[in-house]
Amino acid sequence: MYRRTVLTNGLRVLTAEMPHTRSVSMFIAVGAGSRYEPAEKAGLSHFLEHLPFKGTRSWPTALAISEAVEGVGGMMNAATDREMTSFWCKVASVHADRAIPVLLELILHPLLDPAEMEKEREVILDELRMTNDYPAQVCDLLIDRAMWPDQAMGRDVGGTSETVTAIRLDDVRDYMEQQYRPNNTVIGIAGAITHQEAIAMVDDATRHWQPGMVMGWEPMAPPSADAPKVLLDRRDTEETSICIGLPGFALADEDRYVATVFNGVLGDGMSSRLFQALREDRGLTYDCHSSISSYRDCGALVVSCGTEPTRAVEAIAATRHEIGTMLRPAPDTEIHKAREYIKGRLLMRMEDSRSVASWLASQELLMDDITTPDETAARIDQVTPADVVRTAERLLHDSTFRIAVVGPHEDVTDFEAAL
């Protein structure tokens, strides 16, 4: 499926030839994210992600960068998470030699202009304000804080208005100098391009990029016994947003494949237990779903829903009941359905060159290993009803539910009672 080359400076390049496509995608994954930041500089990785798009050595303005890729019908963007910052582009294969150098320049030669930084600071502050206007997104942030209080895992990747306001240009430059190193970066390239062509483009652009020592990430610390189990943001909304969380599985944990099937049965899709029970049977919610996330040393299972405020406690009780049903063996037909749902979604994503490039680069950066889609599908196929029960026991044994609530409620008493 893929080929891997390590350049002399330590940069790892992984390619997947997809000759049936008309596109080429590049995905650059850098070991930089909110887990690498001190609390007083929360949002630094995200701030840095924005700035290269304001101008580089060869494309000195935001307009020049955009036109270089969009001018040939391509797409380009970036994202920051807890453990990785990514930059990507996707273009028609005939324009790969034009777009790929633009993306590489973002991480190699950004101008980091002080005036542009101040303008972008206001953009980021507006982004934080926008998030705060959406109760469901606020609830997502609250459940992270409830599960991982007073640490990087529980902080908003974007930081706060106070920390973003305090970040200086020297902070950005020092952080980029530290983390944006070839030995801390992986590039995935997929589509109608050969391995040799891709390596030639990358090697030519990065030959003067030097490796260096990089910072480590902050390990997860379990919450203390007296940490709040329910976090409430009181708002005069017509709907209550709820998130219920449990500790999950780290990336290296073999049970994370079983957990994916567990999640498929519980709350991934309209035929899942949660959707059927809370929406179709009880009429409690318009949307209800669960998700599994995995990181280097921890993970989470989170159920999210919105409901009429007077039925919030009922929704929590119904959710807990459905999670509890996972401790009993599911019918073979239900496990089979979940397996096929997961595999089908995965394999369809792999038709997209961008998804393939992301798949390769992300795994290589975070796990130093690649599990191909076919290997992943094979592991999913091996999951049995007994495996799902065993994983449910791991999730629920000695684990404390955490709840985040956003809505017109005065205190957490009823929600604590629901726990």
Side-chain angles (χ1 to χ4, degrees):
M1 175 199 168
Y2 70 94
R3 294 180 65 183
R4 179 180 185 271
T5 293
V6 182
L7 303 184
T8 55
N9 59 7
L11 178 64
R12 290 165 283 175
V13 183
L14 296 98
T15 69
E17 295 185 28
M18 303 170 68
H20 58 284
T21 67
R22 298 289 186 93
S23 68
V24 171
S25 294
M26 170 181 272
F27 188 95
I28 303 175
V30 183
S34 59
R35 297 191 79 177
Y36 293 87
E37 304 163 352
E40 67 274 11
K41 294 180 183 177
L44 178 57
S45 302
H46 177 247
F47 207 146
L48 173 52
E49 172 226 311
H50 277 234
L51 293 181
F53 289 91
K54 306 301 287 184
T56 69
R57 187 173 63 188
S58 300
W59 291 272
T61 66
L63 179 60
I65 291 171
S66 298
E67 287 182 339
V69 177
E70 291 181 359
V72 294
M75 299 175 289
M76 177 172 57
N77 213 330
T80 305
D81 206 334
R82 292 179 174 91
E83 299 177 331
M84 180 175 73
T85 300
S86 59
F87 300 82
W88 64 269
C89 70
K90 180 179 179 179
V91 294
S93 56
V94 293
H95 298 300
D97 59 349
R98 173 174 177 173
I100 286 177
V102 179
L103 198 69
L104 289 169
E105 274 246 344
L106 295 179
I107 65 168
L108 294 172
H109 306 296
L111 296 180
L112 302 181
D113 179 79
E116 293 295 337
M117 178 177 176
E118 292 311 310
K119 287 192 289 185
E120 200 62 23
R121 189 192 307 276
E122 293 305 312
V123 171
I124 294 170
L125 290 172
D126 191 58
E127 184 180 357
L128 295 177
R129 288 189 289 266
M130 180 178 67
T131 298
N132 191 57
D133 279 345
Y134 288 88
Q137 294 186 30
V138 173
C139 203
D140 289 339
L141 297 176
L142 277 182
I143 195 63
D144 290 342
R145 195 191 312 166
M147 295 186 67
W148 299 296
D150 303 317
Q151 57 188 294
M153 276 299 300
R155 291 197 294 266
D156 183 354
V157 171
T160 67
S161 58
E162 292 78 16
T163 59
V164 169
T165 299
I167 291 172
R168 307 268 68 85
L169 183 57
D170 284 345
D171 297 325
V172 174
R173 285 176 171 154
D174 291 345
Y175 186 69
M176 189 169 199
E177 178 74 13
Q178 183 89 49
Q179 295 303 102
Y180 280 55
R181 291 290 183 173
N183 52 307
N184 194 38
T185 302
V186 177
I187 295 178
I189 302 176
I193 187 171
T194 68
H195 183 72
Q196 291 78 10
E197 290 169 339
I199 293 299
M201 287 185 191
V202 175
D203 189 34
D204 182 61
T206 63
R207 64 177 66 245
H208 299 298
W209 195 15
Q210 295 300 310
M213 294 291 294
V214 298
M215 293 184 290
W217 43 273
E218 180 186 287
M220 184 274 295
S224 62
D226 60 350
K229 298 176 178 59
V230 180
L231 294 183
L232 169 65
D233 186 327
R234 192 205 177 286
R235 298 191 177 201
D236 291 326
T237 56
E238 295 189 13
E239 180 185 64
T240 294
S241 297
I242 301 168
C243 285
I244 302 172
L246 282 169
F249 303 106
L251 284 167
D253 194 314
E254 285 297 314
D255 272 347
R256 70 185 178 91
Y257 295 98
V258 183
T260 304
V261 178
F262 171 100
N263 186 61
V265 173
L266 178 65
D268 190 358
M270 295 174 65
S271 61
S272 66
R273 290 185 181 184
L274 280 171
F275 194 93
Q276 288 296 309
L278 271 68
R279 172 169 168 159
E280 303 298 350
D281 295 345
R282 296 173 181 253
L284 274 167
T285 181
Y286 173 74
D287 180 46
C288 178
H289 61 274
S290 63
S291 61
I292 288 281
S293 56
S294 295
Y295 302 95
R296 283 186 167 116
D297 62 345
C298 60
L301 166 71
V302 175
V303 176
S304 304
C305 72
T307 190
E308 204 279 326
T310 61
R311 304 188 75 185
V313 172
E314 181 186 354
I316 292 171
T319 298
R320 289 202 56 184
H321 172 77
E322 292 306 318
I323 294 174
T325 66
M326 301 298 296
L327 291 167
R328 298 188 296 273
D332 288 338
T333 54
E334 193 174 20
I335 298 298
H336 175 75
K337 180 190 70 176
R339 289 194 304 246
E340 294 306 310
Y341 174 87
I342 295 161
K343 290 188 302 175
R345 291 295 177 91
L346 168 63
L347 296 177
M348 286 192 293
R349 285 205 314 271
M350 292 301 108
E351 291 182 344
D352 178 17
S353 61
R354 176 191 161 196
S355 294
V356 174
S358 169
W359 177 275
L360 294 173
S362 300
Q363 287 192 84
E364 178 70 25
L365 180 73
L366 298 176
M367 301 179 66
D368 295 316
D369 188 32
I370 304 293
T371 303
T372 68
D374 287 338
E375 291 169 341
T376 299
R379 294 191 187 194
I380 295 297
D381 265 334
Q382 294 169 1
V383 175
T384 67
D387 292 329
V388 174
V389 171
R390 175 177 51 78
T391 300
E393 290 171 344
R394 282 191 64 190
L395 281 166
L396 295 170
H397 181 68
D398 287 339
S399 293
T400 300
F401 283 91
R402 306 281 166 172
I403 298 178
V405 179
V406 180
H409 306 276
E410 296 300 332
D411 58 54
V412 300
T413 304
D414 290 342
F415 302 111
E416 289 176 338
L419 284 172

